Amino acid sequence: MQLYKSRTFGAYFSDTFTFLKENGKHFYKNYFIVNGLFILILLALTFFFSRYYLDFIFADSFSAEYQDSPGVFAKGNEFLLLVFFFIFFVVAACVAIINYAYTPIYFKLYDKNSGAYFSKDEIFNQLKSNLGKIFLFLLAGVLIAIPIFLVVFIAVAVLAVTIIGIPLIIIPLAWLTQFYFIAFMEYLQSEKGIFDCFSYSFTMSFKNFGATNGSVALFYLMIQVVQGILTMIPYILGIGAIFVGSSDYTGAGNEGLSTTFTTMIVFIYMLSFFLNLFLMTVLQTNQSIIYYSLKEETENIHTSSTIDEIGNF
């Protein structure tokens, strides 16, 4: 698939799904090889902690014997909880960093090799060699976030004043993510300094503004709809549990019922988390397609390359 070409609003959508259709097997196979272990560890930690904690919450609803049980447990196991949260934080940070960096690095190798003709080892090598850049980008991103977030917050506040403007709130939020993503892609692909990349991204993010940010906004909207549907299920189950718990069930029956509900809720949240990771890679694929399209419109990379090839004959 040709990355460097000018695209319309519809092409941003179609080319995103075309890319995943042509390269999805290679893309996700290597994604789970690179990030799969951390994801599994994070899911396991989330399951055991959520299951344990929610068991006590539902136990409170079903029996007074468990009153303040989470607090009782915490008082006797402060060090264990501290270690648990430290491990959880480290693993979650690894998942977040790899998840954010994987797609840009994949597209960098795809561009370099003119297709998906590279292995997991090359992806690992790119991650390791760019680790310093990734952390520097995160640090610079936090510094730049102060004025940028202020401007976005003002834009969101202005739109929220009117009913008509509320649906448009997603536009400045989409621009914000696109601004950071373009800067990150440029930083990984070029020898420019970090702040030069942010300056470059600021200019690029306003080119073809309606089509590019509208595309990102719609992808975000689709993600939120899917996530919202999954998120509503635990609330519905929770309300059902409260009503059932207040009925004439007693003793062991209640305990089994609470266990069933907590297990279902934890699995739904884990499914929601896993689905969110998948959907974010789809969104980043769309943002990557936008990046290469804007690069072509600004620098005529493919056009210049084609002219050079003609001149060699």
Side-chain angles (χ1 to χ4, degrees), residues 1-5 7 12 15-16 19 27 100-108 110 178 181-182 184-185 189 204 216 280-295:
M1 177 179 171
Q2 182 181 321
L3 295 178
Y4 291 104
K5 71 175 184 179
R7 293 177 172 89
Y12 289 132
D15 281 4
T16 297
F19 182 89
F27 181 90
Y100 193 74
Y102 176 81
T103 304
I105 286 175
Y106 186 93
F107 269 87
K108 178 182 178 180
Y110 186 94
Q178 185 69 2
F181 194 81
I182 290 175
F184 189 48
M185 289 280 289
Q189 300 243 12
M204 292 269 281
V216 175
M280 289 307 295
T281 59
V282 176
L283 173 64
Q284 287 181 324
T285 299
N286 176 249
Q287 291 177 311
S288 300
I289 296 293
I290 290 173
Y291 167 79
Y292 285 103
S293 181
L294 293 177
K295 285 278 285 187

Side-chain angles (χ1 to χ4, degrees), residues 130-150:
N130 286 286
L131 199 58
K133 274 192 165 186
I134 293 170
F135 282 108
L136 184 59
F137 179 84
L138 293 174
L139 180 61
V142 171
L143 296 176
I144 290 177
I146 298 172
I148 293 293
F149 274 59
L150 179 62

Side-chain angles (χ1 to χ4, degrees), residues 222-238 264-279:
M222 289 187 290
I223 291 172
Q224 292 304 314
V225 169
V226 174
Q227 291 291 93
I229 293 172
L230 279 176
T231 303
M232 286 301 297
I233 296 175
Y235 285 109
I236 296 172
L237 292 176
M264 289 177 64
I265 290 173
V266 169
F267 270 117
I268 289 169
Y269 275 125
M270 291 173 65
L271 175 63
S272 177
F273 169 77
F274 187 81
L275 183 61
N276 183 64
L277 291 178
F278 168 76
L279 292 174

Side-chain angles (χ1 to χ4, degrees), residues 9 13 171 174 209-219:
F9 176 78
F13 275 90
I171 297 296
F209 183 86
T212 57
N213 288 277
S215 173
V216 175
L218 281 179
F219 268 97

